[in-house]
Amino acid sequence: MSALRWGRGASGLRRVLWRAGRPGLLAEEGARSGVWGRRRSLSASPCEQDRQKDWGHAELLEVLEARVRQLQAECVSEVTVKRVGQARLPEAAGFQPRRKAQKGGEGTGRWAQKLDQDRWTLQGRKQRLEVKPQVRAQQPACEHRLRRVPQLLSAPLAERLLRWEQGTPRSPWEEQLERLLQEAPRKLSCEAEQAHQSRGASVRLETQQQRLLAFLECCLLSGHLPLAHHVLVTCHGRWRQRRTLTLAMYNTVMLGWAREGSFKELVYVFFMVKDAGLTPDLLSYAAALQCMGRLDQGARTVQRCLDQMAQDGLQLPEIFTSVPLCPEEQAALLQAVRKAQPAFSPPPRPQPEPQVNTSPLLREIYAQEDPVSYPKLHLPLHKLKALFQQQLRVEMATTVSVESVEKPELLTTEVLQARNTLTRLRAVWVEALCAGLQEMKASEARAARAGRPTLFPYLCLLTEEELAQLLLQTLQVLPPQGESLLSLAQQLGLRVFNRHAVQKQQLRHVQALQQRYYQYLHLLASDTQVAVPCLPRQYWETLGAPEAPHEQPWPLPVLVQLGKQLAEMLVEVVRMPGSLAAPQGSCTLIPVLYHVYSFRSFRQIGILKPHPAFTQLLATAAEHTLTFEAAEVPMLCPPVPWTSPYTGAFLLSPTKLMRSLEGTTQHQRLLDSCPPAELHGALDALTQLGNCAWRVNGRVLDLVLELFTAKGCPRLGVPAPPSEAPRPPEGRLPPGASPAQKAELRRELARCLKVAREMHSLRSDALYRLSLAQHLRHRVFWLPHNMDFRGRTYPCPPHFNHLGSDLARALLEFAQGRPLGPDGLDWLKIHLVNLTGLKKHEPLRARLLFANEVMEDILDSADRPMTGRKWWMEVDEPWQALACCMEIARAVRAPDPAAYVSHFPVHQDGSCNGLQHYAALGRDSIGAASVNLLPSDVPQDVYSGVAAQVEVFRKQDARRGVRVAQVLEGFISRKVVKQTVMTVVYGVTRYGGRLQIERRLRELSTFPQEFVWEASHYLVRQVFNSLQEMFSGTRAIQHWLTESARLIAHAGSAVEWVTPLGIPIIQPYHRDSKVLISGGIQTLTFSNSGDTSQKPNTLKQKNGFPPNFIHSLDSSHMMLTALHCHRRGLTFVSVHDCFWTHAADVEVMNQVCREQFVRLHSQPILHDLSRFLMNRFCSGASLRSPVHSKSMLIDKLQDTLKSVPKTGAFDLEQVKNSTYFFS
């Protein structure tokens, strides 16, 4: 598979769907068999509707016959209607000729003739309908014979193939291949070439190509090579579809036949390659030679092939070094080559030369001469090997069953009965789903045999039982309010792909992975040493050749279509008794899932909603297990180091280095084109973050579970159960209720529904987190990381990590402890005060004194959290504060606090980090002082400073008689302006800022609400004016970035840049292109806005550039800090601009953090950005605008990019002495 997918280069996956009608286009809604195969619906299909319509006509015919008999009885006229027997059709499928009605009266004769004619016509249709199922049943399973011989467009090639096929005796196939290889590629006509080139630039064409290639590859994986050949031959024989075929598709099928040793079929594909005007490449020759080796062909035949290969400019050694083939394929290929060249020895696969990152920021990280003290894990080698085996078993099983913390107090008869009912129903559902899936496969196979790429090979990658279990797991976790069909379809498609990818990895790489991983553990284990200390990535790369990359996901339309059909299978097949209390078999079956429509944000969307009876059954059963995908759970062993954009994190489960929306490909393309050494900084930082070992804080977990299993405590972040949701008003409105009363009732119902949905979502999220925490309570685990398109890092497991709320963070602590040392206890106390939010404006010494003053409350909170004075409940971050109280209590009660081994993570937060980066970029002294870049005795609060400046403006306006300024007297506070100030740096507009301030004003009970709208308009204007006054350099840089992005987007390109650590960035904001998937219970339409072939969204590009650029800088700062902390032996993790380490190491981390910030901003960041954008976007080839406007756009863009904002006089070195830069 790797030879197929990567032999053609990483072209990426475009996510646009085929449209309807002809082969290669999406089937019309309602089509029974199209590109996507059988239409699934609860309503009758068109054929069924036609049949019902004809039977209805037959019933009408019987009524008319009765009327004729009535007329005869009344002697109006003598009419004889000949009876048409319902005999079977003759084998020739012809009808007996109708006989004319006997003549009677003139008027009734016409009636009789018309009646006879209609009756004959309808009877014929009825007989055809009766015979059609019988004929279909008698047909063999293969409705269309699979084609092997291609239909060629080139007359000479077609004549040669025909002459060879009919000739006697036939020339050997190897001679035929020799002639084909010598034939020059047939040139397409000029018109065809132009058409091909114009279509090649379209999203539609590339999507068709990717979908067809994925179909062919899946056919090979699922053992349906003849079907892949048949579809390729069919497409090649149709001119419109031939233009979508690429050499990679022909090579895919050729390689399949080579593995089978089928030389004849391989030659057929070579005929098509030459007929398409293509030139064979290395992979084509590798397939031919491999097939010759398997068939033990003679030396003369092999030598001719090698000679032709040389004439085509291809070198034989390159096949062994450049074409990714498995060892068995290479052995067959080598056997063929040695027939002609016995002395040939394949060159060793070139080991990639050790590339060194040249970034000046990373020079110290990769310096060999400087001493290092890389940290080791606290676990011995044998323990880590056992943990690897546990994780391997988890990933090979693809799912993890976790005991739920939400259990019934007593296993009553009702609970046991509900569980037994679910067990019986699931057994029935699995059987029904397996039967339905078999039928679906048969239908898709018939469509594929007609020459169309369908879902058939994708459905064959997993067994029916595996697919059925996957569907039932999906049904289990559907919320009561349902889920959109589109979202559900995409999830199902991705899960099928992920399970297939894991199975593929099991078959090929598990043994080699185990051997390599065991060697890698010598670097990490506490009881082993390596010869030369190095980074995990570097050591992993020395242990063997680069791994084959994980398989890339299928095109998004394929994922959605596959998931859609599986979801519709759930709707159609899964049923339950309408009344579970009724005797079995005595009541009708009802669908467990219903398809309904609902309005979400003024858009009508289709939702799959579970039946209330099923929801109630699940609630009553209160099952004790939850099922998660393996990649959704923290790892039980250290993650695999990131070594490339494709390999890292989980052992088998595919993981993206750069997370993005499904359907976007430009990020992967940039990473593919980036020199490997340029990514080393990011790869090593992500590996270091993932190598931090964690454990669960058991005492905090017990307290949270106590509240969770009771009624919850929303004030402390523990969601309440659904039983606590507000109830809608009971009773009905009186008959004469006014429209206003009815509207009020509707609003109240909508409010109750909204609150219930939110409560269910929060409860489910907490249930997953707490169940996983309980599952991992006595284990060590790891959180592998990846990054978003800006370089910001995130843990891969979504439900249980340190990026969550206060409650989620309090549940985690470092698995590896460090003695507190002389200052560790003081840092614990300062950290506790920071968590309370009570002394934000006080110096560190005052915070430490405050902690000592409230030591009684701290110890009381630690000893009696639920029964004592509950001091911890009144602070900003209650659960983290409680966990810190417990840690302090254990430390102060230890015989030697300095020797106490602490596992507690201490945080250091940036002070409005976005403004810190802006102030450093512009060397803005005033702004730097406001965000603590300058040393000071007390922390500066930029939010209070902005509020004070706004108050100055308000007083001036009040004196001038401005009414709203007078109303706002006494109401301008830090809290009112904080959110707007915080988000201005990240691109919030005045409109968004006004909404933020409006919400804060509405929270003030004493503020006159009739002035909220006017006051919010006034305040947002003054906040922006204050920021302009205080951060003039910041606003200038922001404007320059915005204007540059606007011009680039207007020229037709998405904004790109490279971070100081070398990560390529592109903004994924493009104009939406609608993708339509019709048929089934609903036509799905979704937007695809993430590909470079689409026009950029100018508004999003320009508004997103400033905040995204700053995010890329803060991620660079974090990664530099992480790498240098690792070099010094520290444990380090982060939540964006919040850095965590042990209490004993806070001072070292603070020093590293400041040093790396200064080093980062000592680089000419804005000038480097200007040069990059000039080179990238100021050439005519890079612009997509009309020709007549190119020079104008280039001139304006060049002028803008050259006018880099001037910087101030702020000295960056002062940051190193700023206590409150991060605190």
Side-chain angles (χ1 to χ4, degrees):
M1 181 65 177
S2 59
L4 304 179
R5 184 169 291 279
W6 304 114
R8 72 182 194 280
S11 63
L13 299 177
R14 297 276 177 89
R15 312 299 200 229
V16 184
L17 195 61
W18 296 14
R19 293 214 291 252
R22 300 177 297 276
L25 306 178
L26 181 64
E28 296 280 355
E29 183 178 11
R32 183 71 173 174
S33 294
V35 170
W36 300 110
R38 191 170 79 85
R39 176 182 184 237
R40 299 213 158 264
S41 175
L42 290 178
S43 61
S45 66
C47 290
E48 292 169 346
Q49 292 171 356
D50 290 342
R51 190 178 297 115
Q52 293 170 2
K53 184 177 176 181
D54 289 342
W55 289 120
H57 288 174
E59 292 176 1
L60 177 61
L61 182 59
E62 295 176 0
V63 174
L64 292 177
E65 288 179 331
R67 177 56 177 164
V68 170
R69 290 193 293 271
Q70 181 183 9
L71 292 174
Q72 291 175 337
E74 295 174 353
C75 298
V76 175
S77 174
E78 182 181 338
V79 179
T80 302
V81 180
K82 291 295 182 183
R83 188 181 302 274
V84 181
Q86 298 185 8
R88 291 192 177 184
L89 287 175
E91 292 191 5
F95 294 103
Q96 294 290 344
R98 56 177 174 163
R99 289 175 287 181
K100 296 182 179 180
Q102 295 181 4
K103 292 184 178 181
E106 294 182 2
T108 55
R110 287 194 298 270
W111 278 84
Q113 291 174 9
K114 178 64 174 174
L115 183 60
D116 185 31
Q117 182 180 2
D118 290 346
R119 182 174 180 177
W120 183 88
T121 302
L122 290 174
Q123 187 63 45
R125 293 186 64 180
K126 184 174 180 180
Q127 288 179 341
R128 286 195 298 272
L129 289 172
E130 290 175 343
V131 171
K132 189 174 181 179
Q134 300 173 10
V135 174
R136 179 174 295 177
Q138 294 170 3
Q139 286 179 341
C142 180
E143 294 184 359
H144 303 271
R145 292 188 57 189
L146 296 182
R147 297 173 58 187
R148 295 291 179 98
V149 183
Q151 178 181 349
L152 305 179
L153 183 65
S154 168
L157 283 176
E159 183 180 354
R160 179 187 299 175
L161 178 61
L162 181 62
R163 188 169 59 249
W164 180 87
E165 283 281 345
Q166 297 177 350
T168 305
R170 296 184 177 181
S171 60
W173 279 106
E174 52 268 23
E175 294 183 10
Q176 190 68 24
L177 178 61
E178 178 189 353
R179 296 177 184 176
L180 279 172
L181 291 174
Q182 293 174 354
E183 174 137 352
R186 182 180 56 81
K187 297 296 184 182
L188 298 175
S189 66
C190 181
E191 181 181 353
E193 276 191 358
Q194 292 175 356
H196 185 76
Q197 292 170 0
S198 63
R199 289 179 61 84
S202 69
V203 177
R204 174 189 170 88
L205 177 62
E206 187 168 349
T207 301
Q208 291 176 350
Q209 292 172 338
Q210 291 165 352
R211 182 172 179 273
L212 180 55
L213 181 60
F215 170 84
L216 297 175
E217 291 174 346
C218 275
C219 283
L220 268 63
L221 286 172
S222 57
H224 295 91
L225 176 58
L227 180 63
H229 184 93
H230 168 74
V231 172
L232 183 68
V233 168
T234 303
C235 293
H236 184 86
R238 298 169 180 167
W239 167 247
R240 292 182 62 86
Q241 292 187 13
R242 181 183 298 190
R243 292 180 297 177
T244 67
L245 299 179
T246 63
L247 183 60
M249 300 174 193
Y250 295 106
N251 283 343
T252 298
V253 179
M254 268 197 288
L255 195 58
W257 288 126
R259 291 168 181 161
E260 298 284 332
S262 300
F263 204 80
K264 177 179 178 180
E265 285 78 8
L266 184 139
V267 174
Y268 281 146
V269 181
F270 262 104
F271 263 107
M272 291 188 284
V273 169
K274 290 294 184 177
D275 189 51
L278 301 173
T279 302
D281 62 2
L282 279 174
L283 188 56
S284 310
Y285 282 101
L289 290 170
Q290 180 191 158
C291 191
M292 293 176 186
R294 293 183 189 275
L295 296 177
D296 200 21
Q297 295 283 355
R300 180 172 172 271
T301 302
V302 175
Q303 187 59 52
R304 287 176 176 176
C305 184
L306 295 178
D307 291 343
Q308 185 60 42
M309 180 177 164
Q311 290 181 21
D312 288 343
L314 303 175
Q315 301 300 319
L316 176 59
E318 292 181 7
I319 289 186
F320 294 90
T321 58
S322 302
V323 179
L325 299 174
C326 69
E328 182 200 7
E329 293 170 339
Q330 285 197 352
L333 195 154
L334 183 60
Q335 180 180 351
V337 173
R338 284 180 173 167
K339 284 278 186 178
Q341 302 178 13
F344 177 81
S345 178
R349 186 173 291 273
Q351 294 295 328
E353 295 183 5
Q355 297 179 326
V356 180
N357 189 290
T358 57
S359 170
L361 295 173
L362 296 171
R363 190 172 294 121
E364 291 182 13
I365 296 297
Y366 301 116
Q368 301 292 331
E369 61 275 4
D370 296 338
V372 296
S373 56
Y374 295 130
K376 305 272 283 185
L377 292 174
H378 62 293
L379 301 172
L381 181 63
H382 71 90
K383 178 64 175 177
L384 289 173
K385 287 183 177 180
L387 292 176
F388 167 80
Q389 290 297 334
Q390 293 179 30
Q391 178 65 24
L392 186 61
R393 286 194 294 270
V394 166
E395 294 195 42
M396 290 175 69
T398 69
T399 58
V400 182
S401 293
V402 174
E403 189 170 349
S404 173
V405 297
E406 194 168 43
K407 308 173 189 174
E409 296 180 2
L410 296 174
L411 290 178
T412 62
T413 304
E414 184 182 12
V415 172
L416 293 175
Q417 184 178 358
R419 291 182 178 179
N420 291 335
T421 300
L422 275 175
T423 302
R424 290 196 308 271
L425 287 175
R426 284 172 182 150
V428 174
W429 292 342
V430 167
E431 185 177 349
L433 285 170
C434 288
L437 288 166
Q438 290 175 356
E439 183 184 350
M440 182 190 294
K441 285 184 180 179
S443 174
E444 294 292 313
R446 287 194 295 270
R449 289 175 187 275
R452 297 188 295 270
T454 68
L455 297 179
F456 173 68
Y458 304 97
L459 292 169
C460 294
L461 294 174
L462 301 180
T463 65
E464 286 90 355
E465 290 76 11
E466 289 171 329
L467 288 172
Q469 291 297 337
L470 185 148
L471 290 174
L472 291 186
Q473 291 168 15
T474 302
L475 178 63
Q476 179 79 12
V477 297
L478 270 183
Q481 67 269 21
E483 189 168 352
S484 75
L485 178 58
L486 177 59
S487 173
L488 193 63
Q490 184 172 331
Q491 292 175 25
L492 281 171
L494 276 174
R495 287 182 179 179
V496 173
F497 167 78
N498 287 335
R499 296 199 181 186
H500 152 65
V502 169
Q503 291 181 359
K504 182 181 172 186
Q505 290 285 93
Q506 290 181 38
L507 295 173
R508 297 187 180 184
H509 305 297
V510 168
Q511 192 64 36
L513 173 66
Q514 176 174 308
Q515 294 175 359
R516 191 172 189 176
Y517 192 89
Y518 279 2
Q519 292 178 287
Y520 167 67
L521 289 177
H522 286 80
L523 179 73
L524 305 179
S526 60
D527 58 346
T528 56
Q529 296 293 330
V530 295
V532 179
C534 57
L535 293 168
R537 175 193 54 81
Q538 295 172 330
Y539 191 68
W540 182 272
E541 289 175 345
T542 64
L543 298 177
E547 306 94 328
H550 285 298
E551 184 177 358
Q552 293 302 294
W554 303 319
L556 182 59
V558 172
L559 291 174
V560 173
Q561 180 65 23
L562 176 60
K564 179 174 181 283
Q565 290 206 190
L566 292 175
E568 290 173 353
M569 175 69 67
L570 268 179
V571 175
E572 182 176 348
V573 169
V574 178
R575 296 174 177 270
M576 64 184 292
S579 173
L580 294 174
Q584 194 168 7
S586 63
C587 64
T588 59
L589 297 178
I590 59 173
V592 171
L593 282 180
Y594 282 90
H595 177 251
V596 298
Y597 287 93
S598 177
F599 282 93
R600 301 274 177 88
S601 301
F602 306 102
R603 292 175 53 243
Q604 187 181 24
I605 63 172
I607 293 175
L608 291 188
K609 188 174 183 179
H611 194 283
F614 177 70
T615 303
Q616 182 60 42
L617 181 62
L618 284 178
T620 304
E623 292 182 301
H624 52 84
T625 57
L626 301 172
T627 302
F628 296 92
E629 296 292 311
E632 295 176 347
V633 180
M635 294 185 66
L636 302 178
C637 68
V640 174
W642 281 106
T643 55
S644 75
Y646 306 99
T647 52
F650 292 95
L651 303 180
L652 301 176
S653 303
T655 310
K656 293 181 179 179
L657 172 67
M658 185 172 284
R659 56 175 62 189
S660 59
L661 292 174
E662 290 301 325
T664 56
T665 59
Q666 66 267 40
H667 307 303
Q668 198 63 47
R669 290 180 179 180
L670 281 181
L671 293 174
D672 291 339
S673 62
C674 181
E678 297 301 312
L679 294 176
H680 283 173
L683 297 175
D684 291 332
L686 289 169
T687 300
Q688 186 271 322
L689 294 173
N691 276 349
C692 175
W694 298 89
R695 73 180 190 184
V696 173
N697 189 327
R699 290 190 64 192
V700 173
L701 177 60
D702 289 335
L703 295 172
V704 176
L705 288 177
E706 181 182 333
L707 292 177
F708 184 81
T709 54
K711 295 294 184 180
C713 184
R715 183 170 67 91
L716 293 177
V718 182
S723 59
E724 301 299 307
R727 301 295 179 186
E730 298 181 358
R732 296 186 176 183
L733 289 174
S738 66
Q741 291 176 309
K742 295 178 181 178
E744 179 62 28
L745 179 61
R746 284 194 297 269
R747 283 193 294 269
E748 181 64 19
L749 289 173
R751 187 191 70 81
C752 292
L753 180 61
K754 180 175 180 291
V755 172
R757 286 176 175 172
E758 291 172 351
M759 289 180 63
H760 179 273
S761 177
L762 292 172
R763 182 76 175 184
S764 298
D765 182 60
L767 174 64
Y768 297 159
R769 178 179 294 113
L770 296 177
S771 297
L772 285 171
Q774 181 73 0
H775 176 71
L776 298 167
R777 176 190 282 268
H778 302 298
R779 301 187 184 186
V780 178
F781 55 91
W782 286 261
L783 299 171
H785 282 59
N786 61 2
M787 60 185 176
D788 66 10
F789 75 92
R790 303 163 299 186
R792 278 198 152 191
T793 60
Y794 300 85
C796 298
H799 303 299
F800 187 47
N801 57 57
H802 61 292
L803 242 67
S805 60
D806 165 57
L807 171 59
R809 298 184 186 190
L811 292 173
L812 291 169
E813 58 184 15
F814 295 136
Q816 189 168 357
R818 297 285 285 272
L820 285 177
D823 300 320
L825 181 57
D826 288 347
W827 278 112
L828 279 176
K829 294 175 180 178
I830 292 171
H831 178 56
L832 173 61
V833 177
N834 290 344
L835 291 170
T836 65
L838 298 174
K839 297 292 178 179
K840 294 179 180 178
H841 309 309
E842 300 293 331
L844 295 182
R845 185 172 299 278
R847 301 181 200 182
L848 183 59
L849 290 174
F850 176 75
N852 292 326
E853 291 172 3
V854 297
M855 184 57 66
E856 287 189 11
D857 290 328
I858 294 172
L859 297 178
D860 177 76
S861 297
D863 297 336
R864 300 181 299 155
M866 295 300 179
T867 59
R869 295 194 289 268
K870 304 179 183 178
W871 173 80
W872 64 277
M873 292 187 182
E874 308 302 324
V875 303
D876 286 355
E877 308 285 350
W879 289 108
Q880 291 179 83
L882 175 61
C884 194
C885 288
M886 293 176 176
E887 189 75 0
I888 291 173
R890 286 191 289 266
V892 298
R893 290 166 178 167
D896 180 8
Y900 172 75
V901 177
S902 174
H903 295 259
F904 193 82
V906 174
H907 311 168
Q908 295 288 280
D909 282 325
S911 176
C912 200
N913 192 237
L915 283 173
Q916 288 179 328
H917 283 285
Y918 268 124
L921 284 172
R923 304 295 195 272
D924 184 352
S925 298
I926 299 176
S930 300
V931 291
N932 294 299
L933 295 187
L934 282 173
S936 62
D937 296 330
V938 295
Q940 303 299 308
D941 182 25
V942 64
Y943 311 116
S944 299
V946 172
Q949 184 63 49
V950 171
E951 177 64 14
V952 171
F953 291 152
R954 187 205 64 78
K955 288 180 178 178
Q956 295 173 355
D957 291 338
R959 285 195 295 268
R960 289 198 294 267
V962 177
R963 175 62 176 160
V964 67
Q966 297 169 349
V967 171
L968 279 167
E969 183 176 0
F971 292 103
I972 297 177
S973 65
R974 178 183 188 272
K975 183 177 181 180
V976 170
V977 303
K978 177 181 177 180
Q979 187 180 14
T980 305
V981 174
M982 185 188 306
T983 53
V984 156
V985 67
Y986 297 124
V988 73
T989 61
R990 294 195 179 223
Y991 175 77
R994 190 200 68 77
L995 293 177
Q996 293 169 345
I997 292 175
E998 178 183 333
R999 284 192 290 270
R1000 301 290 83 80
L1001 292 177
R1002 291 194 184 280
E1003 293 171 357
L1004 303 176
S1005 58
T1006 58
F1007 185 78
Q1009 296 300 301
E1010 64 272 16
F1011 285 95
V1012 164
W1013 191 86
E1014 186 179 358
S1016 62
H1017 269 281
Y1018 174 82
L1019 282 181
V1020 74
R1021 186 169 65 252
Q1022 299 303 344
V1023 166
F1024 273 70
N1025 291 339
S1026 300
L1027 288 171
Q1028 180 68 43
E1029 189 92 6
M1030 297 172 62
F1031 297 91
S1032 57
T1034 295
R1035 301 300 288 176
I1037 295 172
Q1038 212 169 19
H1039 175 74
W1040 180 73
L1041 294 173
T1042 302
E1043 181 63 14
S1044 300
R1046 185 188 69 82
L1047 292 172
I1048 292 170
H1050 186 65
S1053 298
V1055 180
E1056 300 178 32
W1057 70 98
V1058 177
T1059 72
L1061 290 191
I1063 305 172
I1065 307 294
I1066 183 170
Q1067 295 194 138
Y1069 311 132
H1070 297 83
R1071 294 184 185 177
D1072 291 348
S1073 64
K1074 298 298 181 183
V1075 180
L1076 181 72
I1077 300 179
S1078 61
I1081 60 177
Q1082 177 191 338
T1083 294
L1084 289 181
T1085 305
F1086 56 95
S1087 299
N1088 182 15
S1089 60
D1091 215 307
T1092 50
S1093 60
Q1094 298 162 228
K1095 291 184 178 180
N1097 185 318
T1098 303
L1099 183 63
K1100 288 185 177 181
Q1101 289 285 345
K1102 77 179 186 66
N1103 289 341
F1105 187 30
N1108 289 335
F1109 181 71
I1110 295 301
H1111 280 314
S1112 71
L1113 293 183
D1114 69 44
S1115 74
S1116 298
H1117 176 225
M1118 185 279 296
M1119 289 182 178
L1120 285 170
T1121 305
L1123 292 171
H1124 281 272
C1125 284
H1126 181 72
R1127 190 174 179 84
R1128 297 195 186 191
L1130 273 63
T1131 297
F1132 175 91
V1133 292
S1134 77
V1135 181
H1136 304 318
D1137 61 345
C1138 177
F1139 297 167
W1140 299 17
T1141 191
H1142 288 96
D1145 299 325
V1146 171
E1147 292 184 1
V1148 177
M1149 185 186 72
N1150 277 336
Q1151 178 190 357
V1152 172
C1153 169
R1154 287 153 177 77
E1155 288 175 352
Q1156 297 313 309
F1157 185 86
V1158 172
R1159 290 193 63 202
L1160 173 66
H1161 284 282
S1162 297
Q1163 305 299 312
I1165 294 176
L1166 293 181
H1167 289 277
D1168 288 346
L1169 176 65
S1170 174
R1171 280 193 295 272
F1172 176 85
L1173 295 178
M1174 289 272 289
N1175 294 333
R1176 176 68 181 83
F1177 298 110
C1178 289
S1179 62
S1182 66
L1183 299 179
R1184 301 181 184 177
S1185 56
V1187 177
H1188 65 272
S1189 61
K1190 274 187 179 180
S1191 61
M1192 185 183 301
L1193 279 171
I1194 291 175
D1195 292 343
K1196 192 169 184 179
L1197 182 56
Q1198 283 180 339
D1199 292 343
T1200 301
L1201 293 177
K1202 288 178 181 178
S1203 58
V1204 179
K1206 296 181 180 179
T1207 57
F1210 171 64
D1211 181 10
L1212 274 176
E1213 290 295 323
Q1214 298 185 73
V1215 174
K1216 295 181 180 179
N1217 301 317
S1218 174
T1219 303
Y1220 303 103
F1221 167 63
F1222 266 61
S1223 65

